[in-house]
Amino acid sequence: MKCKLALSQINTVLGGVKANLDKHLQVIDEACSQNVDLLVFPELSMTGYFLQDLVPTVSMRPNITDPLFKKLIEASRRLDLVVGFVQEDERNRFYIASAYLSAGEVLHVHQKIYLPTYGLFDEGRFFAWGDQVRAFDTRFGRVGLLVCEDFWHASLPYLLWQDGADIMLFTSASPGRGLTQEPQLDSARWVDHINRAYASLFTTFVAHTNRVGYEDGLHFWGGSMVYDPNGNVLARAPQQEEALLICEVDLNQLHRTRVRLPLLRDERTALVERELTRILSQGNRPAGR
Amino acid sequence: MVDLKVNSQLASKILTNFIRSEITRVGFQHAVLGLSGGVDSALSCFLAAEALGPENVLAVRMPYRTSAQDSLDDAQKVIESTGVNSMTIPITEMVDPLINRFEDMDSIRKGNIMARARMVVLYDQSAAFNGLVVGTGNKTEILLGYSTLYGDSACALNPIGDLYKTQVRQLSRDLGVPESVISKPPSADLWAGQTDEGDLGFTYAEVDQLLYLLVDERYTPQECIESGFESSFVNAVVKRIMKNQFKRIMPPICKLNNRTVGYDFLYMRDWGT
């Protein structure tokens, strides 16, 4: 089975939901004209990233009662979509969310679990923490969705793997940092390393969509990539500029890789559960240095 | 020795995109900058010309009567090599009446007046040329506070503010800034023979190594001393960074109400764009 995947590496207007929606619809048109099956937008693609006090003014409810979100749901009749937005729940908590839309339905909403609140990040000040990670079924098989800092915690891709995800869709608004003599920034290299590792260790597809553009002096570096279950790079978008990265994914590669390398078959989840329970019951232990 | 070399192609791409983004997103096409003849403003000029096209950049030379001819000549070389628009507005007639009122005025006060007069000229040209003022302060001088508040530090955006002086020199060389601009001793050119390194008491090459460890690598002062820096040098630099924090932030507003600019009224400058 094949899936024509597209990663939409866009710039956004900070706080301009209507303008960002229009851009989504334009990219959707372009992707449809190229017969894309699944189109992934980056983290907070509907709002921009450094929202601060804009958070409550740009939030949406991911259903047809929201006039703007309704347009995205309607567009999902043409192709499957992943969009990034601020979700306000029924008790007025705000989440960084990512939704998978297909055939006019909201199949899944992931609320970002790990909110970086250190260094240049301040998400925990403005957003509520998601508390669930779930794989879900799509017409291309079972999928896992994570947002940026989520996939810096190895436990979440691991849990999705165990929950059946064969395609990991990661989205980011990753600010570029770490200029050296290398042709890419440290931040680009770090993300490449870990995503390649997940694809290799979990023998899954990993697709990472990162945005571009500037918000004040911070810039997002793009460089969206698709990895196959062997950890090979299937497609790579340019860095620092907008792009629509289209990549046909042959899902039969899962079969071939897992015959060669049955890591999923051999994973000893009962051992993980037993040892983790033991470790957590022991409380803090000294570092030993 | 820490290697502070940067990838010039990548740095240039990020910085030119930054200039273009920050100027055009608020509806402008043009940039204005002061060209001193030194390497910082030369690099800013090269980047702005690349980002916007030289026809959209105005470089202003603003000599005082004691300014060195070399400075004017070097600035002219930058104008010629980038092809930007240029203008020369001497500030002597603006600043001398104030300076002459005070017989005992020291050179710091005079230098600050000149820097602020240049700011006035640039912001006036920014209105006349319908452009934004592009800053020319590097990371070393920002950290050390080696600038005049509301003078040379005043700008709408600062592309080179996260590059150490050492990196400014390297990038300038790689982008083709004239060699005489890069290799001469950096100077505020407020009086004959003045140099930055003479004022500061150490070289940029030395202090950039230390600043990189202290700031970027989060070394403690003690760890810097253990890495081989003189303790008096480390302590002087640490003190200088701390003492000059006021130049790096907006003036504090005294909080009285429930929502106050700077504390809990938080929006990026690029809000809505």
Side-chain angles (χ1 to χ4, degrees):
Chain A
M1 185 189 186
K2 294 197 172 160
C3 168
K4 197 164 185 185
L5 176 66
L7 310 184
S8 176
Q9 181 171 296
I10 51 168
N11 187 10
T12 55
V13 174
L14 184 59
V17 180
K18 179 68 176 69
N20 293 325
L21 173 67
D22 290 345
K23 187 155 197 172
H24 281 61
L25 297 175
Q26 276 170 23
V27 177
I28 288 167
D29 281 345
E30 189 186 338
C32 284
S33 74
Q34 302 202 48
N35 301 313
V36 166
D37 298 309
L38 167 57
L39 173 61
V40 184
F41 286 95
E43 177 180 14
L44 291 175
S45 59
M46 288 289 288
T47 60
Y49 178 71
F50 284 99
L51 292 163
Q52 300 180 308
D53 284 357
L54 288 171
V55 167
T57 69
V58 298
S59 62
M60 310 176 94
R61 313 235 178 183
N63 57 50
I64 52 162
T65 65
D66 185 302
L68 299 185
F69 208 90
K70 187 180 172 194
K71 302 266 187 202
L72 296 168
I73 293 174
E74 283 167 359
S76 78
R77 295 184 192 282
R78 305 168 68 194
L79 79 179
D80 287 16
L81 284 176
V82 173
V83 295
F85 62 105
V86 174
Q87 181 187 7
E88 180 172 1
D89 76 4
E90 56 287 349
R91 300 196 65 200
N92 314 102
R93 288 168 292 200
F94 300 93
Y95 298 89
I96 295 176
S98 199
Y100 190 107
L101 316 177
S102 178
E105 301 285 335
V106 180
L107 283 194
H108 182 77
V109 175
H110 173 72
Q111 295 168 337
K112 187 173 187 177
I113 293 168
Y114 287 102
L115 302 178
T117 307
Y118 56 80
L120 64 94
F121 302 105
D122 207 10
E123 293 179 16
R125 178 187 169 112
F126 299 99
F127 291 103
W129 299 64
D131 200 32
Q132 274 191 18
V133 62
R134 298 273 192 280
F136 54 95
D137 292 314
T138 73
R139 61 195 175 106
F140 309 108
R142 215 160 154 76
V143 166
L145 254 185
L146 293 175
V147 180
C148 207
E149 190 86 351
D150 285 343
F151 60 81
W152 279 92
H153 292 261
S155 52
L156 295 187
Y158 180 85
L159 289 167
L160 287 173
W161 184 44
Q162 288 306 313
D163 201 21
D166 290 329
I167 303 172
M168 309 268 188
L169 300 178
F170 296 167
T171 66
S172 293
S174 170
R177 54 211 189 274
L179 178 70
T180 65
Q181 288 189 78
E182 298 301 314
Q184 63 177 355
L185 297 170
D186 284 344
S187 46
R189 183 169 49 84
W190 299 331
V191 170
D192 180 25
H193 284 178
I194 62 166
N195 287 341
R196 193 182 297 252
Y198 291 134
S200 308
L201 295 171
F202 300 150
T203 56
T204 62
F205 288 97
V206 172
H208 173 236
T209 310
N210 185 28
R211 62 164 287 194
V212 292
Y214 291 73
E215 289 178 1
D216 288 12
L218 299 159
H219 82 277
F220 306 95
W221 49 272
S224 301
M225 287 171 84
V226 183
Y227 306 83
D228 79 358
N230 292 322
N232 293 324
V233 177
L234 292 183
R236 185 194 301 263
Q239 296 187 0
Q240 330 292 346
E241 56 192 76
E242 286 196 319
L244 181 64
L245 180 71
I246 297 180
C247 173
E248 188 167 77
V249 171
D250 176 6
L251 295 165
N252 295 346
Q253 187 60 47
L254 291 161
H255 166 86
R256 294 189 286 270
T257 300
R258 288 176 186 177
V259 169
R260 172 182 69 83
L261 187 63
L263 300 178
L264 178 63
R265 182 196 71 185
D266 296 347
E267 179 65 15
R268 296 183 53 189
T269 50
L271 178 149
V272 173
E273 185 182 24
R274 186 173 70 243
E275 292 300 317
L276 195 56
T277 305
R278 175 187 65 77
I279 291 162
L280 295 175
S281 70
Q282 285 175 339
N284 287 336
R285 294 198 293 185
R289 64 166 185 267
Chain B
M1 283 284 282
V2 183
D3 188 355
L4 292 176
K5 282 209 185 70
V6 296
N7 184 299
S8 293
Q9 210 180 343
L10 179 58
S12 171
K13 184 167 192 182
I14 294 171
L15 296 177
T16 51
N17 283 348
F18 167 69
I19 294 169
R20 200 178 306 116
S21 169
E22 293 311 298
I23 287 182
T24 60
R25 72 194 304 155
V26 284
F28 289 93
Q29 305 292 327
H30 300 151
V32 177
L33 52 85
L35 208 52
S36 67
V39 68
D40 298 318
S41 59
L43 177 59
S44 295
C45 187
F46 267 69
L47 291 167
E50 172 72 24
L52 304 169
E55 68 280 11
N56 292 315
V57 179
L58 174 63
V60 189
R61 300 191 304 175
M62 296 169 284
Y64 180 62
R65 59 183 163 79
T66 61
S67 296
Q69 185 60 40
D70 280 1
S71 301
L72 274 170
D73 295 345
D74 281 333
Q76 187 59 35
K77 284 186 200 167
V78 173
I79 291 163
E80 283 163 17
S81 28
T82 53
V84 298
N85 301 290
S86 66
M87 183 181 278
T88 303
I89 302 181
I91 58 164
T92 309
E93 288 174 8
M94 287 174 69
V95 303
D96 270 355
L98 178 58
I99 290 173
N100 292 337
R101 285 180 83 100
F102 302 95
E103 275 178 21
D104 58 344
M105 188 178 283
D106 63 24
S107 54
I108 301 277
R109 283 174 66 190
K110 289 179 190 166
N112 285 338
I113 290 170
M114 291 176 214
R116 291 181 180 125
R118 291 183 175 116
M119 178 276 291
V120 169
V121 171
L122 284 180
Y123 271 81
D124 177 54
Q125 283 307 314
S126 115
F129 191 62
N130 196 28
L132 295 184
V133 176
V134 171
T136 60
N138 64 60
K139 186 171 186 171
T140 310
E141 71 179 33
I142 292 171
L143 287 169
L144 297 174
Y146 191 65
S147 65
T148 298
L149 189 61
Y150 309 121
D152 53 317
S153 67
C155 60
L157 61 148
N158 184 2
I160 68 164
D162 202 24
L163 289 171
Y164 290 108
K165 185 79 173 188
T166 308
Q167 297 170 324
V168 166
R169 285 176 175 148
Q170 183 221 324
L171 187 55
S172 299
R173 201 158 265 137
D174 294 348
L175 295 189
V177 172
E179 187 58 33
S180 63
V181 175
I182 301 168
S183 53
K184 70 180 175 190
S187 170
D189 197 16
L190 300 174
W191 58 87
Q194 186 197 20
T195 65
D196 293 4
E197 293 175 342
D199 286 359
L200 291 165
F202 41 74
T203 68
Y204 280 119
E206 288 168 321
V207 78
D208 283 352
Q209 292 283 321
L210 175 59
L211 289 172
Y212 180 80
L213 292 185
L214 280 170
V215 176
D216 290 66
E217 293 296 322
R218 300 172 193 264
Y219 274 44
T220 63
Q222 187 56 36
E223 286 172 325
C224 292
I225 293 164
E226 286 162 12
S227 302
F229 290 97
E230 287 287 335
S231 62
S232 56
F233 176 45
V234 173
N235 293 334
V237 168
V238 168
K239 196 171 165 194
R240 208 175 158 127
I241 295 173
M242 205 188 299
K243 202 178 73 175
N244 283 293
Q245 177 66 1
F246 76 97
K247 292 190 183 178
R248 295 186 284 262
I249 56 170
M250 296 292 278
I253 290 171
C254 183
K255 187 168 177 66
L256 295 172
N257 282 303
N258 284 329
R259 207 157 171 227
T260 309
V261 172
Y263 299 104
D264 40 25
F265 177 86
L266 298 176
Y267 300 90
M268 299 293 269
R269 177 174 162 138
D270 287 345
W271 178 4
T273 67

